[in-house]
Amino acid sequence: MKNRMYTGIAALVLMTLFLGMETGVSVCAMEGGDTSVVADGILPEEAAENLTEGLRITLSGGKGKKNITDDSIRTYSSFQGGETITLESDSPMGGFYVLWNKIPGQWTYKVGDKVFPGGEKGFLHEYIALSAPAEKIVLEIPEEGAQITDIYVFSPGVPPGWVQVWEEPCERADLLLFSTHSDDEQLFFAGILPYYCIEREAYVQVVYGTNHWDTVTRPHEQLNGLWTVGVRHYPVIAEFPDDARSLGKSSESRETVLERARGVYDEEEWIAFEVEMLRRFQPQVVIGHDMDGEYRHGAHILNTDALLQALPLANDPSYEPESAQAYGLWEVPKTYLHLYEENPLVMDWDTPLESMGGSTPFELSKQGYACHLSQQNTWFTKWMNKDRAADINKYSPCEYGLYRTTVGEDVRKNDFFENITTYGEKERLMAEEEARLEEQRQKEEALRLEEERMREEASRKLAEEERQRLEEVQRATAAYEAAERARKEQLVLAGILLTILALTATGVFALVRRRGKRRAGSVERQSIK
């Protein structure tokens, strides 16, 4: 089970809170989690060894290699198109892990004479499992150039838990979280991701309303934090940049801040983006920001305002027909908003869970937030330093309201999935139904074969009885014919005997007669004398 794979996350990642390191992957997302990688359909069973320390790197452009081997997300090296990076190890390598500073275009790497593609999925952190062990790998930079933060290599086997082996975004999501910025998902939505990813093993998709490509560390912090709390499906990040001009003040009205945000962002584009996300992921549950933007952040407010408009439009065929054609229409069953006062529910993020190694969902979110190194000096850090989520009074991550539902109101009011059958559960039920139908088919087939066998047996028995009857008739006929032949032979023999007797009698009679005549003649001659 997946939740057993996550057992080590809590204790091991908790160490990162005390390390105070500035490195990227080493700070967060340490050992734990499902890091299985399939190479050519074969699942490696042994743990891979980190071979990076003994790695020999040759750069064709003559640049120094320090920045790509310093294990820090704060530094990177730029490469021109066509340049190569040669990785050589005395021990066979089974895979390599590249942290790009910016998502590159498609690139290639060579092992021997064979060329393989990379960058096809558009991941910032990209793990490549080799189809066969190699002692030399040559990375070829794409024509448009690329920037690399760090490179690591490993022996064949399962890479360490901190290596982010991302799955592509969900095909369909049980839960879709619209987070405006990188770190909002760990702050105002604390508890959600670890609980529903790890404990509930749901299909969870995170969609960010803004990006941080103008910074060096935040995109890395974003992925490190997600990986730490159990997210395995790569996030979708919008094209809207994070713009501080949309930030409001607590003293301003919601409408004032929203209008300012509309002056920074194109709200129609934002609505279209969210409609596309709803259609693409067909979420069962959608969660959005507080309508007031938590601390009056205009981008938070705009994000949720766009969501409320996107919900009915996602099921309208006349709106953005291209995305409707690509993904189909979608009616979201349940939509929750943070701090929404109607149809409220309070989530429990403070119960230790075995699937999290005894940690609570809130504690794991705190570890996820610890990955956001650039944000540690903000007031959010103090806000997250509470021992329990329930102790947070302002902008509580436990409080939500059911804004919209097509599956009925909540009764228990402690689970976003109330009245929902997750896609995984549907797949399980479908698999069980298919198994039941297959079992029924097999039984019916076995019954048919048995009936056919019985019919064949009965037919064989009838054929055997008919054969025996024919044999008896044949024997009786043969006996009759033999008796008839014997009778005829006897009649023939009797006829022959009678003929012989008749001939014999006739001969005897003739002989007697001749003798009689002879005797009479003798007497007559004697008389004459």
Side-chain angles (χ1 to χ4, degrees):
M1 294 292 292
K2 274 188 178 179
N3 53 7
R4 295 296 182 269
M5 298 178 183
Y6 287 111
T7 300
I9 289 180
L12 291 166
V13 181
L14 186 59
M15 295 167 56
T16 65
L17 297 177
F18 304 100
L19 293 178
M21 300 169 64
E22 294 187 354
T23 58
V25 295
S26 298
V27 172
C28 306
M30 295 180 69
E31 303 294 339
D34 182 3
T35 59
S36 301
V37 184
V38 176
D40 287 355
I42 301 175
L43 185 66
E45 296 180 354
E46 297 183 357
E49 179 185 356
N50 189 342
L51 305 176
T52 309
E53 185 174 348
L55 184 67
R56 296 187 299 277
I57 301 179
T58 304
L59 309 177
S60 65
K63 295 182 177 65
K65 62 182 181 181
K66 178 180 178 181
N67 288 343
I68 62 174
T69 58
D70 61 359
D71 195 34
S72 172
I73 60 174
R74 298 181 184 277
T75 61
Y76 62 90
S77 293
S78 299
F79 298 89
Q80 300 296 319
E83 290 186 336
T84 61
I85 303 173
T86 302
L87 312 176
E88 294 180 279
S89 173
D90 292 332
S91 300
M93 296 177 284
F96 62 99
Y97 183 38
V98 184
L99 275 62
W100 303 94
N101 183 57
K102 296 285 188 294
I103 296 175
Q106 292 191 18
W107 54 280
T108 59
Y109 65 96
K110 292 178 62 176
V111 178
D113 296 330
K114 295 183 178 180
V115 179
F116 300 92
E120 296 177 300
K121 298 178 181 179
F123 294 166
L124 186 69
H125 294 177
E126 187 170 9
Y127 179 79
I128 301 291
L130 301 182
S131 59
E135 295 181 355
K136 180 179 179 180
I137 306 169
V138 180
L139 279 64
E140 300 179 335
I141 301 299
E143 291 184 3
E144 58 272 24
Q147 298 173 343
I148 295 180
T149 297
D150 280 301
I151 294 179
Y152 306 85
V153 298
F154 304 92
S155 64
V158 180
W162 54 265
V163 176
Q164 297 166 21
V165 188
W166 288 103
E167 300 178 34
E168 294 188 68
C170 297
E171 290 187 11
R172 297 180 302 175
D174 296 315
L175 188 152
L176 177 60
L177 175 63
F178 280 109
S179 177
T180 304
H181 305 98
S182 168
D183 73 6
D184 289 336
E185 77 285 0
Q186 311 287 2
L187 292 166
F188 308 110
F189 301 114
I192 291 178
L193 297 181
Y195 179 76
Y196 283 98
C197 287
I198 300 175
E199 174 68 14
R200 299 293 290 272
E201 298 181 334
Y203 297 145
V204 175
Q205 184 63 50
V206 181
V207 173
Y208 292 96
T210 63
N211 63 66
H212 304 280
W213 297 123
D214 58 340
T215 71
V216 173
T217 64
R218 294 198 70 179
H220 299 295
E221 296 168 354
Q222 184 177 49
L223 295 181
N224 293 344
L226 290 176
W227 188 262
T228 296
V229 299
V231 177
R232 294 296 177 262
H233 291 280
Y234 200 82
V236 173
I237 303 170
E239 304 240 343
F240 308 111
D242 179 22
D243 193 323
R245 292 177 300 168
S246 63
L247 179 61
K249 299 178 180 179
S250 58
S251 59
E252 295 180 299
S253 69
R254 175 184 184 276
E255 285 303 319
T256 297
V257 178
L258 176 58
E259 283 304 314
R260 183 183 300 119
R262 285 170 175 161
V264 176
Y265 299 105
D266 187 323
E267 185 174 25
E268 290 303 318
E269 289 185 5
W270 204 313
I271 294 170
F273 169 74
E274 297 206 4
V275 166
E276 181 178 350
M277 294 299 100
L278 296 177
R279 289 172 173 173
R280 173 181 175 181
F281 297 115
Q282 300 182 12
Q284 307 239 47
V285 173
V286 169
I287 299 178
H289 280 277
D290 168 32
M291 295 181 70
D292 290 331
E294 279 83 25
Y295 57 103
R296 280 292 197 274
H297 198 303
H300 291 200
I301 298 174
L302 182 63
N303 193 347
T304 295
D305 192 68
L307 172 61
L308 303 189
Q309 297 180 67
L311 288 169
L313 291 175
N315 201 34
D316 183 349
S318 66
Y319 182 81
E320 295 292 331
E322 289 186 3
S323 70
Q325 179 69 25
Y327 305 112
L329 304 178
W330 187 246
E331 183 77 38
V332 178
K334 298 181 77 176
T335 302
Y336 290 91
L337 300 181
H338 184 215
L339 303 179
Y340 189 63
E341 295 182 354
E342 297 183 29
N343 306 308
L345 77 165
V346 178
M347 301 299 294
D348 174 16
W349 305 135
D350 296 319
T351 297
L353 297 172
E354 182 183 352
S355 63
M356 301 177 191
S359 293
T360 70
F362 179 62
E363 288 170 344
L364 224 58
S365 286
K366 289 172 67 174
Q367 295 162 22
Y369 176 70
C371 295
H372 292 264
L373 303 173
S374 63
Q375 306 301 298
Q376 296 304 302
N377 292 326
T378 67
W379 65 271
F380 300 123
T381 302
K382 182 178 179 180
W383 185 76
M384 283 291 286
N385 278 342
K386 299 284 187 180
D387 292 331
R388 301 167 65 250
D391 295 336
I392 301 176
N393 297 319
K394 197 171 186 180
Y395 320 129
S396 169
C398 304
E399 297 177 8
Y400 293 85
L402 180 59
Y403 172 79
R404 190 171 183 265
T405 177
T406 65
V407 293
E409 302 293 333
D410 290 341
V411 176
R412 299 191 305 272
K413 297 182 179 296
N414 61 358
D415 181 12
F416 296 134
F417 287 174
E418 185 172 347
N419 303 322
I420 290 291
T421 302
T422 65
Y423 286 118
E425 181 68 10
K426 289 178 180 179
E427 290 168 1
R428 185 187 66 78
L429 293 174
M430 185 178 298
E432 289 180 354
E433 178 64 12
E434 290 176 353
R436 186 189 67 78
L437 292 175
E438 177 61 19
E439 182 181 3
Q440 180 179 339
R441 187 196 67 77
Q442 292 179 358
K443 288 181 179 179
E444 292 174 350
E445 178 65 10
L447 180 61
R448 184 190 67 79
L449 292 175
E450 178 63 17
E451 291 175 347
E452 184 176 324
R453 187 193 65 79
M454 293 177 65
R455 285 196 300 270
E456 290 177 353
E457 180 66 19
S459 178
R460 187 195 62 78
K461 187 175 181 181
L462 289 174
E464 179 64 18
E465 292 175 351
E466 181 64 15
R467 185 187 63 78
Q468 293 176 356
R469 187 186 68 78
L470 290 175
E471 287 180 353
E472 291 175 0
V473 169
Q474 289 172 352
R475 286 195 294 270
T477 301
Y480 172 77
E481 291 176 347
E484 190 65 19
R485 283 195 302 271
R487 186 183 67 79
K488 289 180 180 180
E489 290 173 355
Q490 291 174 355
L491 289 175
V492 171
L493 182 60
I496 293 172
L497 291 173
L498 288 174
T499 301
I500 293 172
L501 289 173
L503 291 173
T504 301
T506 301
V508 171
F509 177 74
L511 180 60
V512 171
R513 186 176 178 185
R514 282 196 302 271
R515 288 181 177 178
K517 285 183 178 180
R518 240 191 260 114
R519 187 180 295 120
S522 175
V523 171
E524 185 176 352
R525 283 191 302 271
Q526 290 177 0
S527 296
I528 294 174
K529 292 179 176 181

